[in-house]
Amino acid sequence: VVSKEKSALGYVLLYPLSRQSRQIVTQRILFAGVDAVAVCLLFLFSRIFIQKMLRPLEENRKNQIHFTASASHELRAPLAVILSSAEAMRKADTQREQLHFLQMIQSEGVRMQRLIADLLLLTHSDSGTLPMHVTDCQPDLLLIDAYEKYELAAADKQIAFSIQLPKEDLPVCRADAERILQLLSILLDNALSYTPNGGAI
């Protein structure tokens, strides 16, 4: 109100609030967008962080499954030889044959003991590898040894089981004889498992 000589003059000043309303709405949208982006970033961060934490656990679980499968496969081979030798020993006619099968059972028992020691070593090993004991060995003797161990099991399944060796002597090679025999046993065990009766190995 502005006073004059004999009267007063009143002023009313009006200011539109639409601009401020738009600013408030814009700020609210901006804050909502920032909150949404922050939530998304937090979600992504937590997901990546959790995945990184779970990855070693998942790998450990897969390794345990693989290790269990490998262990059962490794131990099944000498066990099959022990069982077939025990059955053959029970049916053997002479004491010499019984002694032969008894020696085979003992040999496979020792091999199974080594396998168990290897498996225990692998469980405590960070490298996941087995030590190698490389010596001079004769490959034909390894083949004959593997053949004799699975000859009875093949006969029980009525599978023709034969071995072919060259006439000349094979050269001596540098290898871990126990590991080579281990691999041959796995191959023969698989062959016996998947060859039908009447087949040939």
Side-chain angles (χ1 to χ4, degrees), residues 29-62:
I29 293 172
L30 183 63
F31 287 145
V34 170
D35 289 341
V37 170
V39 169
C40 290
L41 289 175
L42 184 63
F43 174 74
L44 288 174
F45 175 77
S46 62
R47 183 166 183 173
I48 293 170
F49 184 71
I50 290 172
Q51 281 181 345
K52 282 187 177 180
M53 288 180 61
L54 292 178
R55 191 174 295 125
L57 296 175
E58 182 65 21
E59 289 178 359
N60 189 31
R61 187 184 69 84
K62 289 180 180 178

Side-chain angles (χ1 to χ4, degrees), residues 4 6 77 127 166 186:
K4 288 193 173 183
K6 295 182 179 180
S127 62
I186 291 172

Side-chain angles (χ1 to χ4, degrees), residues 18-33:
S18 58
R19 185 178 176 185
Q20 289 179 330
S21 297
R22 284 196 301 270
Q23 287 179 345
I24 292 172
V25 171
T26 303
Q27 286 179 348
R28 287 179 178 174
I29 293 172
L30 183 63
F31 287 145

Side-chain angles (χ1 to χ4, degrees), residues 150-192:
Y150 286 91
E151 189 176 11
L152 295 170
D156 288 341
K157 288 192 68 176
Q158 299 176 350
I159 294 173
F161 192 53
S162 61
I163 181 171
Q164 294 178 359
L165 294 172
K167 292 179 181 178
E168 65 276 3
D169 292 336
L170 293 175
V172 174
C173 63
R174 296 280 296 170
D176 188 330
E178 186 64 31
R179 298 281 175 243
I180 298 294
L181 192 58
Q182 188 176 347
L183 291 173
L184 290 172
S185 298
I186 291 172
L187 291 172
L188 289 174
D189 187 66
N190 282 340
L192 287 170

Side-chain angles (χ1 to χ4, degrees), residues 57 109 147 171 201:
L57 296 175
Y147 171 78
I201 299 173

